[in-house]
Amino acid sequence: MTSTAAPLDLLLLPTWLVPVEPAGVVLKEHGLGIRDGCIAFIGPRAAAMKLAANEVRELPGMLLSPGLINAHGHAAMSLFRGLADDLPLMTWLEKHIWPAEAKWVDEAFVRDGTNLAIAEQLKGGITCFSDMYFYPKVASDCVHSSGMRAQIAMPILDFPIPGASSADEALRQGIELFGDLKHHPRIKIAFGPHAPYTVCDANLEKIRVIAEELDAAIHMHVHETAFEVQQAVEQTGERPLARLARLGLLGPRFQAVHMTQISEDDLALLVESNTSVIHCPESNLKLASGFCPVERLWQAGVNVAIGTDGAASNNDLDLLGETRTAAMLAKAVAGSATALDAHRALRMATLNGARAMGLESQIGSLEVGKAADMVAFDLSGLAQQPIYDPVSQLIYATGRDCVKHLWVAGKQLLDDRQLTRMDEQQLTATAIAWGQRISGHNE
């Protein structure tokens, strides 16, 4: 389990180490060593203490796990948090969000909103996130300087969007950005057709061809509501997922976001194509969009990851809280208390997200050779006692305020709850200033 060529850069000694792979394992009194941004050692504490290390950190009462992976969101929409709450999805989009975007979204908005989202996610234990929003180059610049990891999906719609006057222009920008960042160690570019009802067959076919050529992921809202599916069937006689299958988009690189409506035929298509589903329970609950049948998907062998969606419809980017909601909801939907147990819920928030993004060989579990993307949760508090199963305690009794330390590629981005590279006061002040500008317009 070790390679001991040079001294470790850092040796961590947590009370519990949860590697996620192999499944269901909790290692007590083990150490994890990092060298050159990767995990170089995992083994019992006694063996760990014999290794040379430049820095040794004791993490008493803490659980060390892979960093959480937020598999779907719209980072810059943090600046619209709480702008138009308690409305149905299409009213929310057409009457509030789209007009606000048309008025306010520019490069400065995306930069400030993305930085706010990155900081919130780091403080919540998230080391990697998927983003689908306008001006993706600006978002990727924010990710680059923050030290975080991300998949940035180029949004593509049939009509003009902020930063791109047409679907063809958005595709051109996506190809260029993909080329610029293809060797970036922490950023992957994907293509993000918005939804089946906003992208025509011709544009979807272009996206499929380009994604195949570049071996890039496709990230898309699919079957978010019953209305979307029903409308498609009435207009075309075909369910949206069946249309995507006919056009050749489904496959291991395809990330189907939401999927609250799943028929037997839909399930067969997901299984056969090895498509990943990204489950966003709190956004779906808040917009009354429906329930993704997570346990049914899991038992059929579909890879299900988890996302927060944007802060405009959630309203937080709290993946730990999202995972707890997902575990509870899965039980209610399946009518079974054994559905989505705590260990599988944590896997959904880590390794399954990595797999959806094609990053499972690099991140998502604590294994020698993988990138050192990790989070330490403090389980020493009153509300976590007594501890029978630390993973159950993490999922069912712990909030994101227990996130103590966080590393991406071995670099510490959160130290004792303090961001190491970002100025929290400045970010807060900037967000307040945007809120004042935007609400002034709404009054």
Side-chain angles (χ1 to χ4, degrees):
M1 297 195 75
T2 175
S3 65
T4 48
L8 297 167
D9 298 326
L10 174 63
L11 176 64
L12 298 174
L13 298 163
T15 298
W16 302 277
L17 193 151
V18 180
V20 171
E21 182 62 53
V25 169
V26 176
L27 302 172
K28 202 152 194 272
E29 302 302 337
H30 272 56
L32 181 145
I34 301 167
R35 188 186 299 115
D36 299 329
C38 291
I39 298 168
F41 169 87
I42 296 173
R45 186 185 170 99
M49 296 306 283
K50 293 178 184 152
L51 299 174
N54 298 331
E55 186 188 353
V56 179
R57 282 191 83 164
E58 293 279 356
L59 302 175
M62 292 188 215
L63 180 154
L64 189 69
S65 91
L68 303 179
I69 297 176
N70 183 359
H72 177 67
H74 312 282
M77 291 185 88
S78 298
L79 294 178
F80 291 140
R81 191 196 313 266
L83 178 67
D85 280 340
D86 308 318
L87 295 168
L89 174 66
M90 292 323 286
T91 310
W92 176 79
L93 268 178
E94 292 169 358
K95 299 277 194 306
H96 298 272
I97 295 302
W98 286 347
E101 287 179 334
K103 180 166 177 67
W104 295 107
V105 174
D106 59 11
E107 294 197 7
F109 178 97
V110 171
R111 184 189 62 242
D112 293 344
T114 302
N115 281 330
L116 178 67
I118 286 172
E120 179 184 352
Q121 291 182 100
L122 290 171
K123 291 198 75 175
I126 297 166
T127 52
C128 177
F129 69 104
S130 178
D131 188 38
M132 181 196 208
Y133 207 59
F134 311 121
Y135 299 104
K137 184 181 183 325
V138 176
S140 53
D141 289 344
C142 295
V143 173
H144 172 75
S145 51
S146 72
M148 204 175 181
R149 198 181 296 277
Q151 169 187 275
I152 309 278
M154 178 79 218
I156 300 154
L157 294 91
D158 286 346
F159 39 87
I161 57 172
S165 60
S166 66
D168 282 343
E169 192 186 336
L171 273 169
R172 271 199 306 279
Q173 288 178 16
I175 293 165
E176 192 179 329
L177 197 55
F178 186 95
D180 290 347
L181 295 171
K182 68 168 177 249
H183 299 302
H184 196 287
R186 293 179 284 102
I187 301 174
K188 270 191 88 158
I189 299 300
F191 291 87
H194 169 259
Y197 56 88
T198 51
V199 190
C200 66
D201 282 10
N203 284 330
L204 286 173
E205 288 186 322
K206 287 179 194 170
I207 292 164
R208 175 184 59 77
V209 170
I210 291 162
E212 273 177 10
E213 278 176 18
L214 300 176
D215 194 22
I218 301 174
H219 186 88
M220 187 179 194
H221 303 104
V222 188
H223 290 206
E224 186 168 2
T225 62
F227 173 73
E228 172 199 327
V229 178
Q230 179 196 332
Q231 195 176 40
V233 171
E234 283 169 10
Q235 290 170 359
T236 67
E238 192 174 35
R239 288 170 76 85
L241 195 74
R243 174 179 160 227
L244 296 174
R246 174 173 57 76
L247 294 170
L249 271 83
L250 302 186
R253 287 192 307 264
F254 192 87
Q255 302 158 15
V257 182
H258 296 305
M259 290 304 296
T260 67
Q261 316 295 313
I262 299 180
S263 68
E264 286 306 315
D265 288 349
D266 295 332
L267 183 60
L269 286 174
L270 293 170
V271 171
E272 183 186 309
S273 62
N274 204 9
T275 290
S276 284
V277 168
I278 316 294
H279 176 39
C280 304
E282 291 182 6
S283 177
N284 293 157
L285 284 165
K286 185 160 176 272
L287 292 166
S289 300
F291 312 117
C292 175
V294 171
E295 187 68 10
R296 196 166 132 229
L297 290 172
W298 195 298
Q299 296 305 337
V302 176
N303 181 52
V304 187
I306 187 161
T308 57
D309 210 348
S313 68
N314 184 308
N315 294 11
D316 56 36
L317 306 180
D318 176 3
L319 202 76
L320 185 61
E322 198 80 34
T323 305
R324 181 184 186 178
T325 301
M328 303 285 197
L329 190 63
K331 297 172 193 311
V333 169
S336 163
T338 62
L340 199 63
D341 60 77
H343 282 266
R344 284 195 291 145
L346 181 60
R347 192 180 186 87
M348 190 160 92
T350 53
L351 190 56
N352 288 11
R355 182 165 292 139
M357 294 182 205
L359 293 171
E360 70 273 27
S361 64
Q362 297 168 52
I363 59 169
S365 57
L366 302 181
E367 298 178 70
V368 170
K370 281 196 172 185
D373 287 21
M374 306 170 302
V375 56
F377 297 95
D378 187 352
L379 301 186
S380 65
L382 176 102
Q384 280 75 39
Q385 307 315 315
I387 297 176
Y388 303 110
D389 174 349
V391 175
S392 271
Q393 229 58 341
L394 176 67
I395 300 299
Y396 297 122
T398 302
R400 62 176 167 174
D401 53 340
C402 292
V403 172
K404 195 86 166 172
H405 309 295
L406 176 144
W407 296 263
V408 174
K411 296 204 164 39
Q412 189 161 13
L413 302 184
L414 189 76
D415 186 358
D416 200 13
R417 299 227 19 87
Q418 298 301 307
L419 294 164
T420 62
R421 289 198 187 184
M422 302 180 92
D423 182 338
E424 197 171 330
Q425 280 178 301
Q426 181 60 56
L427 290 166
T428 305
T430 302
I432 290 168
W434 271 107
Q436 287 164 345
R437 282 178 65 195
I438 292 168
S439 61
H441 152 67
N442 283 343
E443 276 160 23

